[in-house]
Amino acid sequence: MAVSPVDPTHNDIPASIVPDALPEQVPEVSGLMGHAVDKVSSVFAYGFILAMGILIFEIFMRHVFNSPTLWVHETTTFLSAIGFVFGGLYCAARDKHIRVVIFYDIVGPKMRKSLDVAISIVCMTASGFFAWAAWLMVKRATLTPTGDIHFETTGSAFNAPYPGILKLFLLVILILLVVQFLIHAINYVRKTPVMPATATAKE
């Protein structure tokens, strides 16, 4: 059967959506830390599945037994929040944070390498400032005026310490982001300059 000229060919399907393709690997610039982040990422992915399961449980309890829970809404919000916070570190470990790639297409390999280093340093600096702001927030959320440890709670009937835990988790992630972007900057300095893939394809 002849292929219709209107139908697109399947030769240009990205490897990421080909069923038998190997999963995308952590880039070398992320170093050992990137591999470690990738290893633990499935834990947070399962957190979203757990949150969905808890919501289904709540629907069942509310509409079948007319006995809604006190803890489901806050717990699912917490599980989703830590998953999204970790997502920032995961993107950095995969070197998939947002870039204006048009600049990469018009500059040479040495300038592209310089941009990679500069972007990593800027991201590291920004993460450092955010980490400092998070630390100020964590002090208020985990310590009483007398210096005792007491995590900030939701203030609801369930009154879980989720806000304090989430703010502490955010601080840890931001510190790890600083380290990850520092690793990027160092490895980009060591890396041999290469032309962008789009520029190579045009040639």
Side-chain angles (χ1 to χ4, degrees):
M1 180 177 178
V3 179
S4 170
V6 179
D7 294 336
T9 60
H10 298 284
N11 296 329
D12 56 349
I13 296 178
S16 58
I17 61 174
V18 176
D20 296 330
L22 294 175
E24 188 175 356
Q25 300 298 315
V26 177
E28 293 182 4
V29 293
S30 296
L32 293 176
M33 180 175 174
H35 288 280
V37 171
D38 186 67
K39 289 290 185 183
V40 301
S41 61
S42 58
V43 174
F44 297 92
Y46 290 135
F48 287 108
I49 298 176
L50 177 61
M52 180 190 69
I54 292 174
L55 282 175
I56 294 173
F57 170 79
E58 167 67 8
I59 293 171
F60 187 77
M61 293 297 295
R62 179 183 295 271
H63 297 287
V64 176
F65 293 103
N66 195 27
S67 179
T69 65
L70 295 174
W71 56 273
V72 165
H73 175 71
E74 294 177 5
T75 301
T76 53
T77 301
F78 173 72
L79 290 173
S80 300
I82 61 173
F84 284 121
V85 170
F86 179 82
L89 179 60
Y90 181 78
C91 289
R94 287 279 182 157
D95 201 22
K96 295 294 185 181
H97 52 90
I98 296 174
R99 287 185 174 92
V100 183
V101 295
I102 188 173
F103 294 136
Y104 289 174
D105 293 339
I106 62 177
V107 300
K110 291 184 179 180
M111 179 58 69
R112 188 185 186 213
K113 174 180 176 178
S114 299
L115 287 173
D116 286 331
V117 174
I119 290 171
S120 298
I121 293 174
V122 169
C123 290
M124 179 186 68
T125 304
S127 299
F129 281 119
F130 281 120
W132 172 250
W135 163 242
L136 298 178
M137 184 172 58
V138 165
K139 286 197 298 183
R140 295 191 297 269
T142 59
L143 299 174
T144 64
T146 58
D148 297 327
I149 297 177
H150 179 74
F151 281 75
E152 178 184 351
T153 59
T154 56
S156 64
F158 184 46
N159 205 32
Y162 292 151
I165 297 173
L166 181 60
K167 292 174 182 179
L168 181 60
F169 182 73
L170 175 61
L171 173 62
V172 172
I173 292 297
L174 287 169
I175 293 173
L176 293 176
L177 271 174
V178 172
V179 176
Q180 182 64 86
F181 284 123
L182 175 61
I183 293 172
H184 280 179
I186 294 173
N187 287 336
Y188 274 128
V189 169
R190 296 174 176 176
K191 189 177 179 182
T192 303
V194 295
M195 284 299 293
T198 53
T200 305
K202 290 177 182 179
E203 293 178 357

